[in-house]
Amino acid sequence: MLATCTLEQIAIAKMTIKTDSTSNAIVIAVSKGRIFKQALPLLAKIGIEPLDDPDKSRKLVLSTSDPEVNLLIIRATDVPTYVEYGAAHLGIAGKDVLMEYDGRDFYEPLDLGIACCRLMVAGVDGADQIPSRPRIATKYSRTARDYFASQGIQAEIIKLYGSMELAPLVGLADCIVDLVDTGSTLKANGLVALETICEISSRLIVNKAAMKTRHARVSSIVSSLRNAVETRDG
Ligand code: PRT
Ligand code: MG
């Protein structure tokens, strides 16, 4: 299986967790940035408040107000890997990342309704439709391939790792597949949205073994978070 972090990195993370004073703690993997910021109110509502700000601290394992819960701060695309291999018991990851991930060996019990956006096909302003055999630049190569195949369109997928908006402007691709929130990034680069592939939000994922071996604590976190999502204002 192709994973974006090495087994060695996971082993180091496991050692870090084990050498921590709260070695029995439940570990939740989350990426810093918008997912972390939007998850904070939900976590606070269930009594989990990080003791450090990941934007100011260089710590990768954050203790929280609940001595039995630690947060692991990692790249968004690495969250499913840590959860699948059991280096974290739970994780919070965007549906875009989960769809693109090679494995599937974890539970996905809850849509947290945070970090919402759409995965869209976009092209240069003026071209109002996708060509019949398009070249598509994206970091979501698996999802894009599946989407165009489902539409009966033979697309050539060009994998990029960032700044997708540039590709149609310099003739590298006809269209891009990328996340769109306000649309201002597309607009600033002379692009327009053409089709929505799917709505995106962040999901809670759970390691399968932890659901059995740490059942009481893990299921209590899942149900408390579900309640926090359902009773959220606005
Ligand atoms: O930035 P880094 O490389 O460290 O990691 P990352 O890009 O994976 O992290 P981050 O924090 O940028 O995004 C994490 C997750 O947030 C994504 O996996 C999505 O699930 C979710 N999310 C929600 C978004 C957006 N909205 C979003 N708008 N992620 C990225 N964007 C980007 C988009 O790629 C584009 O560049 O924002 C731009 C478009 O925004 P608008 O408002 O201009 O349309
Ligand atoms: Mg980003």
Side-chain angles (χ1 to χ4, degrees):
M1 173 184 311
L2 194 72
T4 50
C5 55
T6 63
L7 289 176
E8 194 186 355
Q9 283 173 304
I10 294 170
I12 290 167
K14 275 186 166 169
M15 274 163 43
T16 313
I17 295 160
K18 282 198 180 117
T19 52
D20 189 81
S21 56
T22 53
S23 58
N24 255 337
I26 290 286
V27 175
I28 306 176
V30 59
S31 56
K32 61 178 168 185
R34 78 186 83 213
I35 291 184
F36 184 85
K37 285 195 190 85
Q38 295 186 33
L40 274 182
L42 290 174
L43 291 171
K45 233 170 151 181
I46 66 164
I48 300 171
E49 295 187 73
L51 301 183
D52 288 288
D53 176 350
D55 286 330
K56 294 186 184 133
S57 160
R58 295 181 67 86
K59 285 185 189 168
L60 299 176
V61 182
L62 301 186
S63 300
T64 73
S65 51
D66 181 336
E68 310 240 299
V69 177
N70 287 338
L71 299 182
L72 209 60
I73 306 299
I74 54 180
R75 286 289 299 263
T77 43
D78 290 337
V79 169
T81 311
Y82 275 68
V83 173
E84 177 166 358
Y85 286 87
H89 303 107
L90 300 114
I92 299 176
K95 187 67 184 172
D96 51 317
V97 166
L98 298 179
M99 289 192 304
E100 199 62 21
Y101 183 62
D102 226 8
R104 270 282 160 271
D105 213 13
F106 42 72
Y107 298 120
E108 189 191 313
L110 185 59
D111 182 346
L112 295 168
I114 57 170
C116 298
C117 58
R118 282 149 292 148
L119 187 65
M120 303 193 83
V121 186
V124 286
D125 199 357
D128 56 357
Q129 60 181 35
I130 300 167
S132 54
R133 295 183 71 167
R135 274 209 288 178
I136 307 290
T138 186
K139 71 175 178 186
Y140 299 102
S141 46
R142 165 199 283 253
T143 311
R145 188 171 296 112
D146 290 351
Y147 174 71
F148 287 108
S150 76
Q151 305 288 302
I153 295 172
Q154 202 183 336
E156 184 185 345
I157 308 292
I158 301 174
K159 171 90 180 180
L160 293 179
Y161 293 87
S163 306
M164 265 80 75
E165 299 83 9
L166 197 56
L169 307 180
V170 296
L172 177 61
D174 301 301
C175 299
I176 62 169
V177 165
D178 196 10
L179 301 175
V180 179
D181 179 16
T182 61
S184 56
T185 305
L186 291 183
K187 197 167 176 218
N189 291 291
L191 301 177
V192 288
L194 298 172
E195 282 176 16
T196 299
I197 297 178
C198 60
E199 301 288 330
I200 300 292
S201 55
S202 294
R203 311 300 166 101
L204 183 70
I205 58 171
V206 182
N207 172 265
K208 283 191 171 171
M211 193 56 126
K212 291 198 186 92
T213 58
R214 311 289 298 268
H215 183 75
R217 191 63 183 111
V218 168
S219 62
S220 127
I221 291 176
V222 174
S223 60
S224 306
L225 272 175
R226 177 171 291 117
N227 188 51
V229 169
E230 284 166 1
T231 58
R232 172 172 43 202
D233 303 330

